[in-house]
Each structure stands twice: as structure tokens, then as C-alpha cells.
Amino acid sequence: MARSGERTFDPTPYCIPGEITVHEVMDMKRAFDMIDEDGSGLIDAEELQGAAVALGIPMEENIAVLLGTEKIAFDEFFKRMTAKLSPSDKVDDIMGIFELFDNDATGTISFENLQNVARIIGAKESAKEIQDMLSTLDTDGDGELDPIDFYTCLVSGMRIRLEEEDRIRKSAADQMSKEVEGMARGSSTSRLGSSGSR
């Protein structure tokens, strides 16, 4: 229940059909509110650092990569947590994401780093599934993802996602075209049927 003077939160504007559910938005809002220790409606690097320490997650300078130096409201927090890569993203943007995964600042992403990220985001993958993913993406066989592995993975994933979105759009357009043709044939058939009965 909301405290006096506090507005109730409406998650529906943040939902994306087929991608982000009401429950996921509410989970992000609860996480934001827990990080927002002073109840200001804004979070800063200091509050996020406190939450990371409480969860046992070594983030150190990665906080600045995630938040920068400004305070952010839930809208901006939500955008950053749900942002997708696009063709306009630059190598620096991708490396910023790499640094978030490389929370021990070793220059590579290890199995332990991936488990940390999985714990933070509440991923349901098992340790074996995480290891299998790491093994699949690791191009040089050293058991860790270097920046080139990570970049290749994200760019390939973005390409696959864009191709799938394009395929879905074309399929929907084809289906709509067939329906319009069917409706046009149906109306011309009904006109013929009514004119033939006179």
C-alpha cells in the first residue's frame, strides 16, 4: 500500500507485449525503490553501490558505467535496464556493457561474472546452461569471453533479432494482404450471387 502523499505506480505504460510483462515492470520498480534508500524517487551511484555491496556483488567502477554521475528517475532506470542494441550503437556503447559484465575488471568475462549477472537479473538458467553458453561464445577456448567474443556475440545477436523482426513484419503484411484479397473476392462473389438471382 502507498504511503500517504505517495502516488500508486501504474506499470502498464512500461509493458511491451511479448517482451516485458506487468510482473517484470513491477519487479524493476521494487528493485528501484529498494535502491532508492532516501525515497527521493531518484537513484545515484552511491545508492546503487550500497545495494551492490548488500547483495555481495563487486561492482566498483562499473557503477559509473551504468549510471554515470547523475541521479536518475525510474523512467531512465527502466530504459537503461531494457535497452536493446541497435545498428546505431557504437563500439564504446558495447564496451560499456562489457564492463558491466566484467565486474571484477579483469578484461574478460568469466563463468563467475556470468553467474553474478544471472543472479542480479534473476535469470533462471542453471550453472550448466551458463557454462554451455560461455563455451559456445568463447572463440579461443580459454574459458572466458574477451571483448572480441562479446562484441561478436552481441552484434550477431542483434543481426538475428533484426532479421526475425523483419520476418515477422513481412509475415504479418503477407497475411493482411491475403485477408484483403479474400475480402475483395468475397464481396465480388456476393455481388455476382445477388445479381444472378434476379
Side-chain angles (χ1 to χ4, degrees):
M1 181 166 190
R3 290 177 272 194
S4 75
E6 192 178 299
R7 294 182 309 186
T8 57
F9 176 72
D10 179 14
T12 53
Y14 299 96
C15 295
I16 301 171
E19 289 185 36
I20 301 173
T21 66
V22 168
H23 298 294
E24 291 167 328
V25 173
M26 291 305 295
D27 286 346
M28 281 188 245
K29 178 64 171 142
R30 276 191 288 279
F32 179 88
D33 289 344
M34 286 186 339
I35 295 167
D36 180 21
E37 294 173 347
D38 62 7
S40 65
L42 301 170
I43 61 173
D44 59 22
E46 187 176 312
E47 288 173 316
L48 189 54
Q49 178 70 43
V53 168
L55 292 170
I57 302 162
M59 290 192 74
E60 290 136 26
E61 69 277 349
N62 292 336
I63 300 281
V65 173
L66 181 63
L67 279 184
T69 56
E70 79 272 12
K71 290 182 175 231
I72 62 170
F74 180 74
D75 289 352
E76 184 62 25
F77 178 78
F78 180 81
K79 281 184 209 166
R80 292 182 190 192
M81 297 304 288
T82 59
K84 289 183 180 177
L85 288 177
S86 72
S88 64
D89 285 317
K90 301 190 177 16
V91 173
D92 287 347
D93 299 326
I94 293 172
M95 287 310 298
I97 298 167
F98 178 86
E99 290 171 6
L100 289 173
F101 280 79
D102 178 23
N103 56 20
D104 54 5
T106 61
T108 61
I109 299 172
S110 66
F111 173 74
E112 290 76 21
N113 294 140
L114 289 175
Q115 278 192 310
N116 249 347
V117 171
R119 191 174 77 242
I120 292 167
I121 65 173
K124 307 211 181 339
E125 285 76 15
S126 68
K128 182 185 180 330
E129 290 169 317
I130 293 170
Q131 183 60 57
D132 290 347
M133 179 181 67
L134 178 62
S135 298
T136 300
L137 301 174
D138 175 21
T139 59
D140 59 8
D142 66 354
E144 298 182 324
L145 299 180
D146 59 34
I148 294 170
D149 293 332
F150 190 76
Y151 182 83
T152 303
C153 163
L154 290 183
V155 170
S156 295
M158 178 181 55
R159 181 183 44 79
I160 291 167
R161 188 190 86 232
L162 292 173
E163 287 171 356
E164 178 65 10
E165 288 173 356
D166 191 44
R167 187 194 63 74
I168 290 169
R169 272 194 299 277
K170 284 179 182 175
S171 176
D174 289 347
Q175 182 63 33
M176 188 179 297
S177 178
K178 287 177 186 174
E179 289 173 5
V180 168
E181 285 176 18
M183 288 170 33
R185 271 192 241 119
S187 66
S188 65
T189 306
S190 65
R191 274 188 263 138
L192 287 175
S194 62
S195 63
S197 63
R198 286 185 189 179

